[in-house]
Amino acid sequence: MTSSARVMVVEDAEAIRLAVLSGLGSAGYVARGVPDGTGFEQELNTFQPDLVVLDLMLPGRDGFALLDVVRGRSDAGVIVLTARDGVSDRLHGLQAGADDYVVKPFELSELTARVGAVLRRLRRTPSTLQIGSLIIDVDKGLVLRDGRPVELTRTELRLLGHLALHRGQVLSKTQLLTSVWGYDAYDPNLVEVHVSALRRKLESSGERVLHTVRGLGYVLDGPR
């Protein structure tokens, strides 16, 4: 189960836009960034995104105007980014047709998780994966091995969920740090420790499903 969902990021702050594009790319999405509403309709028609991450405070045409365009021309999901955290502001965005909102400043890992959640609600990505006797339900946070629940920490569950969304794809430590923890310049031993703990829990009573590809990273897949 790999994600090839297309995500458009509309954000005028270049540093934020590039960071979000990098994080989404590391998470396996096909991402495209635009700085404002100029030519937005053409971009929407050409790229045909499954989801739009949309800043509300844009120069020229604001995010609410672009949200109307998305709702009139596309069935894409929409997550709005806003610096306003008041209840009325959030309600305005949701009532205008947004599927979710994220308040600035935000953690990249949270935004990536919300992108995945909205896409799953829209059924653009599957939520359940089975590898032999291992069953992972990403939405419910449920993991079963041979029909028995596997108790995981929140971080282990996020890590497993990300690997599950990219089954068969080798993910580097840097990709995992960026997508699961929200860092790309952090101790890679953090990944090794959590992968080892996760492997012990998943494979205590079954075949190996979490593999190390020497020099490249880790992959969740069937026995090799």
Side-chain angles (χ1 to χ4, degrees):
M1 179 173 64
T2 59
S3 175
S4 58
R6 296 178 299 280
V7 182
M8 179 184 291
V9 180
V10 187
E11 166 63 62
D12 62 312
E14 183 177 18
I16 296 176
R17 185 174 68 252
L18 294 179
V20 171
L21 289 173
S22 176
L24 292 173
S26 295
Y29 299 107
V30 179
R32 177 179 296 183
V34 295
D36 52 41
T38 304
F40 182 75
E41 288 88 345
Q42 182 177 347
E43 288 285 348
L44 194 66
N45 293 334
T46 301
F47 187 54
Q48 297 183 340
D50 296 294
L51 184 141
V52 178
V53 177
L54 179 61
D55 183 18
L56 291 181
M57 302 295 290
L58 293 168
R61 303 166 71 189
D62 68 15
F64 287 110
L66 299 187
L67 180 54
D68 287 341
V69 172
V70 176
R71 285 291 166 256
R73 296 176 175 237
S74 170
D75 63 351
V78 177
I79 295 178
V80 296
L81 301 179
T82 177
R84 300 174 178 175
D85 60 356
V87 174
S88 61
D89 296 305
R90 298 198 298 269
L91 287 176
H92 188 188
L94 294 172
Q95 289 170 350
D99 297 282
D100 200 354
Y101 66 89
V102 174
V103 177
K104 295 180 178 180
F106 56 85
E107 293 290 340
L108 186 57
S109 56
E110 178 192 1
L111 177 59
T112 303
R114 287 178 180 249
V115 166
V118 171
L119 288 170
R120 287 193 295 275
R121 288 202 300 270
L122 296 172
R123 295 297 181 261
R124 308 288 169 80
T125 60
S127 67
T128 304
L129 169 71
Q130 182 167 359
I131 304 175
S133 64
L134 175 66
I135 298 175
I136 306 165
D137 189 318
V138 177
D139 285 344
K140 295 180 180 179
L142 178 66
V143 180
L144 301 174
R145 189 79 200 237
D146 296 319
R148 295 188 295 272
V150 180
E151 298 296 330
L152 300 179
T153 67
R154 292 178 63 182
T155 300
E156 289 167 351
L157 188 58
R158 287 201 309 271
L159 175 59
L160 180 60
H162 188 68
L163 288 163
L165 287 173
H166 303 279
R167 176 183 178 175
Q169 178 182 345
V170 179
L171 301 178
S172 69
K173 293 178 182 178
T174 299
Q175 288 174 313
L176 292 172
L177 281 170
T178 300
S179 300
V180 178
W181 282 271
Y183 307 103
D184 59 4
Y186 206 71
D187 186 358
N189 289 329
L190 183 68
V191 178
E192 294 181 11
V193 169
H194 282 83
V195 166
S196 295
L198 186 58
R199 181 176 282 149
R200 285 196 300 272
K201 293 181 179 181
L202 293 180
E203 299 167 358
S204 61
S205 62
E207 298 175 310
R208 170 158 292 190
V209 293
L210 181 50
H211 308 278
T212 300
V213 181
R214 191 174 300 277
L216 295 178
Y218 304 97
V219 57
L220 188 72
D221 209 346
R224 295 187 172 188

